[in-house]
Amino acid sequence: MSDYRGRFAPTPSGPLHFGSLVAALASFLDARRAGGEWLLRIEDIDLPRCPAGAADEILRQLEAFGLHWDGPARWQHARDDAYQAALERLTELGLAYPCSCSRKQWRDHPVYPGWCRAGVREPDQPVAWRLRSDLGLRPVSWQDRLFGEQRFDPAALGDVVLKRKDSLWAYQLAVVVDDADQGISDVVRGFDLLDNTPWQRQLQHALGAPEPRYLHLPLITGEDGQKLSKQNLAPALPTGDAAVRPLLHAALAALDQAPPEALATAPVTEQLAWAVAAWSVARIRPLAERPRADTPG
Ligand code: GLU
C-alpha cells in the first residue's frame, strides 16, 4: 500500500483552463505513478468570487480529461468550524492576532508592518486576523522536488491574513487545515504558490501538522509571456472528446513528458495509461529554458 496522497485544489472562480489542466494532470500522474490516492478539493472559501455552476463545470472538465478523483470531492465552504478551531489554537499560541489596519494605511511599506501585534489599533473597526510571521518557525526551508533547496524568512514576507475583515477565510489557513485533515503527503501545484509555502510551513508547524513534500511546476504562459489565468481570459477547457484528446496531449508535452505524436488522437484512457507509466519529474524543465507553450484551444 502506498502512503502517497495527493490532491488537486482548484478555486472555482471560473472554469479550468490549460494552465490548470497542466497542474491537475501533474498531480494526478504523480499520485497514480506512486500507486497513491488523488483527492479533489474545491477551494470555494470566497463564495462571492465563485460564479454559480463553475465548480460543477470543473468536475465535468476533469471527468472529460479522464482525471477521476478518489472518494467524494471536499468543499471548503462547509469547513468553517475546522478553520475557526485552527484560528483559536493559533491565537492561544500567540501566533494569530486581530488587525484593524487598512491597506491604505500601510501602503508605503512593502509588507504589513505589524502595527496591531501589540493590540488592535482601532478597536471599533472591523478586524482581520493575521499570522505572527516573526514568531513562528524561522527560517523555513524545504527541498522542492523540482526547484531544489528553498529557504525563506517568513517575517520578510509579512503577517499574512488568515481571516479577512469580511469574515471570509483566507487561502493560507484553509489550505493548511485541509491538507492536514485529508492526510495529504504530496502537494503538486504551480510555481506561483512557491512563495506561499513558507507561511503554510509555519502554520503546519504551529498546528502540529505533518510536512508534505512539495513539487512546484513551471507556469504555463501564453504567447504574450503572461501566466495563463482567468484574469487574462485563458479559454475554458472543452469537454467534447474530439477537442479533449489533442489538449491532453499538449498538456503532457507542456510537462516535458515527450508523448509520442501518435498518442494525440488516442482516447484519454490510453493517453493517461501511457503517461502514468512514463511519468518522470526529472524530465520537467524549470522556468528559464522553457519555450513559450502554444495555447491550444
Ligand atoms: N486553490 C488554489 C488555486 O486554485 C490552489 C491551492 C493549492 O494547490 O495549494 O490557485
Side-chain angles (χ1 to χ4, degrees):
M1 256 291 280
S2 168
D3 63 357
Y4 186 113
R5 194 180 268 184
R7 64 8 173 228
F8 178 54
T11 301
S13 52
L16 300 180
H17 51 73
F18 187 70
S20 24
L21 171 63
V22 169
L25 180 61
S27 98
F28 173 88
L29 294 175
D30 202 53
R32 295 301 187 227
R33 172 77 202 185
E37 285 182 285
W38 189 63
L39 309 185
L40 175 63
R41 185 168 71 230
I42 303 294
E43 299 209 320
D44 57 348
I45 32 179
D46 190 352
L47 274 178
R49 270 189 54 230
C50 299
D56 289 337
E57 187 173 355
I58 289 176
L59 306 189
R60 281 196 301 275
Q61 289 174 314
L62 290 171
E63 278 166 352
F65 281 82
L67 302 176
H68 303 297
W69 56 93
D70 295 312
R74 169 172 292 202
W75 299 73
Q76 286 193 327
H77 73 254
R79 297 274 299 151
D80 250 36
D81 292 352
Y83 306 146
Q84 187 61 42
L87 183 62
E88 281 167 20
R89 180 80 191 117
L90 293 164
T91 309
E92 279 161 25
L93 292 166
L95 294 174
Y97 65 96
C99 169
S100 60
C101 298
S102 65
R103 190 168 263 265
K104 207 162 136 205
Q105 289 169 321
W106 56 272
R107 69 177 162 212
D108 296 333
H109 299 260
V111 299
Y112 174 63
W115 293 324
C116 287
R117 285 174 180 169
V120 184
R121 276 193 151 188
E122 294 170 86
D124 49 348
Q125 293 300 309
V127 293
W129 288 79
R130 290 182 181 274
L131 174 68
R132 281 291 299 249
S133 58
D134 58 327
L135 296 185
L137 178 71
R138 278 178 78 189
V140 166
S141 58
W142 77 95
Q143 192 66 30
D144 192 89
R145 289 173 56 200
L146 184 60
F147 289 93
E149 174 77 15
Q150 302 294 317
R151 194 179 169 87
F152 288 85
D153 180 0
L157 302 172
D159 290 355
V160 77
V161 169
L162 303 173
K163 187 177 189 180
R164 295 173 12 178
K165 280 188 185 171
D166 57 9
S167 290
L168 293 178
W169 295 104
Y171 158 66
Q172 309 297 345
L173 182 70
V175 75
V176 164
V177 169
D178 283 326
D179 280 342
D181 187 64
Q182 295 187 284
I184 299 302
S185 67
D186 285 80
V187 171
V188 179
R189 63 185 177 191
F191 184 78
D192 54 333
L193 293 170
L194 184 126
D195 66 0
N196 287 218
T197 309
W199 291 311
Q200 295 173 20
R201 284 290 306 122
Q202 276 199 325
L203 288 166
Q204 288 155 359
H205 186 257
L207 295 168
E211 175 180 6
R213 286 179 289 259
Y214 287 98
L215 166 56
H216 288 91
L217 301 163
L219 290 184
I220 304 300
T221 56
E223 277 156 28
D224 56 1
Q226 297 292 309
K227 179 195 165 196
L228 286 190
S229 70
K230 290 154 205 159
Q231 287 72 31
N232 60 30
L233 301 178
L237 293 177
T239 50
D241 191 46
V244 161
R245 292 181 187 198
L247 264 187
L248 180 58
H249 190 268
L252 290 169
L255 286 164
D256 302 320
Q257 300 301 297
E261 213 38 63
L263 215 55
T265 51
V268 294
T269 45
E270 198 178 308
Q271 294 197 39
L272 290 173
W274 175 87
V276 169
W279 175 243
S280 161
V281 173
R283 278 217 199 108
I284 306 175
R285 284 168 301 158
L287 299 177
E289 60 218 80
R290 171 162 300 272
R292 286 174 189 171
D294 302 332
T295 50

